[in-house]
Amino acid sequence: DKTYTMSILYYYLRYAYACNYINFDNIKIIVELGCGCGKQIEVIKKIYPDICFLLFDIPPQLYVCEQYLSAIFPDSVVSYNDTRNMETLRKIQKGKIYIFGNWKFPIIENTEIDLFWNAASFQEMEPEVVANYLFYINKQANNIYLQEAMDGKEIAPKKGKHGVLKRTTIDDYKCGLIDFNLINMSQCWKPLLKLSGYTDSFWKRK
């Protein structure tokens, strides 16, 4: 007897896709890079309240994400004010949502990540930037969900304009995730059976 938006249904479809390849009952830690306003986390946490989420993004999005998720899960969010001085993840707790700046991403080193999640974010970066993030993911994650434009984003007419200077494509993901098998790539659907222009993919450690 609750009303849900088309937006939330879209994020539920991403979760449903991942359910084909992983049992969320066995997940303890999810890392999302490029968490946006946190709607994907909202969907998953409402179903699995004990999962620990480590969220990374740039400052403007971090603020929006922290405010949004704090309104829904007021006792679960660990603020950027508390995480910015953290140096390790040894004391993270189940059921908590940790808000990190993207520059803190190396903090995941030496922590086993059950699922890494990136949706429509890597494609906005140049390949060398993506390779830096994948360096840590390739070592620490057991499963990976990517939703990207696998042919890459449009090329910017010049630096500072819309687009990227060099496209990040499926070949860059395969190069950076050498310890993973690509299990599936499928067209990403929106509610009402509309193609989104993105590709869902799932990767498992070899």
Side-chain angles (χ1 to χ4, degrees):
D1 296 326
K2 293 183 178 180
T3 300
Y4 290 96
T5 64
M6 294 291 282
S7 176
I8 286 297
L9 180 55
Y10 176 83
Y11 289 101
Y12 183 84
L13 288 175
R14 307 284 68 76
Y15 156 74
Y17 167 84
C19 283
N20 289 299
Y21 310 103
I22 191 170
N23 184 349
F24 278 78
D25 287 328
N26 299 328
I27 292 180
K28 296 180 180 178
I29 298 177
I30 293 179
V31 168
E32 183 175 16
L33 175 66
C35 51
C37 66
K39 289 186 178 181
Q40 188 66 67
I41 305 307
E42 176 187 1
V43 168
I44 297 174
K45 183 170 174 56
K46 283 181 174 177
I47 306 172
Y48 302 95
D50 288 338
I51 291 179
C52 174
F53 298 92
L54 310 178
L55 310 185
F56 297 82
D57 214 324
I58 59 177
Q61 285 298 148
L62 279 184
Y63 177 79
V64 174
C65 182
E66 181 171 332
Q67 296 304 310
Y68 182 80
L69 291 177
S70 293
I72 302 169
F73 310 108
D75 298 324
S76 297
V77 175
V78 180
S79 171
Y80 165 75
N81 285 330
D82 298 314
T83 66
R84 60 181 177 178
N85 294 320
M86 288 177 59
E87 296 181 355
T88 74
L89 298 175
R90 287 196 299 266
K91 296 183 179 180
I92 57 174
Q93 303 175 46
K94 70 176 184 179
K96 295 293 187 180
I97 304 170
Y98 293 83
I99 308 293
F100 290 99
N102 61 325
W103 57 92
K104 296 281 287 187
F105 202 72
I107 200 172
I108 72 169
E109 197 163 25
N110 301 319
T111 299
E112 183 176 358
I113 306 302
D114 298 302
L115 176 61
F116 172 73
W117 197 282
N118 183 274
S121 174
F122 277 152
Q123 67 195 23
E124 308 293 328
M125 311 174 197
E126 274 68 36
E128 62 272 16
V129 178
V130 174
N132 180 60
Y133 288 119
L134 294 184
F135 170 78
Y136 296 99
I137 292 306
N138 188 64
K139 293 196 303 180
Q140 303 304 140
N142 292 322
N143 301 275
I144 297 171
Y145 167 83
L146 300 180
Q147 180 209 75
E148 316 291 346
M150 291 300 184
D151 292 330
K153 190 176 174 66
E154 64 270 25
I155 296 293
K158 64 178 181 179
K159 190 174 183 179
K161 295 297 183 179
H162 181 74
V164 293
L165 300 178
K166 185 178 180 181
R167 290 186 175 97
T168 297
T169 69
I170 182 62
D171 291 334
D172 295 297
Y173 303 126
K174 290 180 177 178
C175 182
L177 299 173
I178 59 173
D179 293 328
F180 283 79
N181 288 320
L182 175 55
I183 303 301
N184 178 267
M185 285 180 60
S186 302
Q187 291 178 317
C188 177
W189 294 87
K190 291 182 176 180
L192 302 182
L193 299 180
K194 294 181 180 179
L195 287 173
S196 70
Y198 296 109
T199 297
D200 287 324
S201 67
F202 204 89
W203 310 63
K204 281 186 174 290
R205 181 167 295 280
K206 294 179 180 178

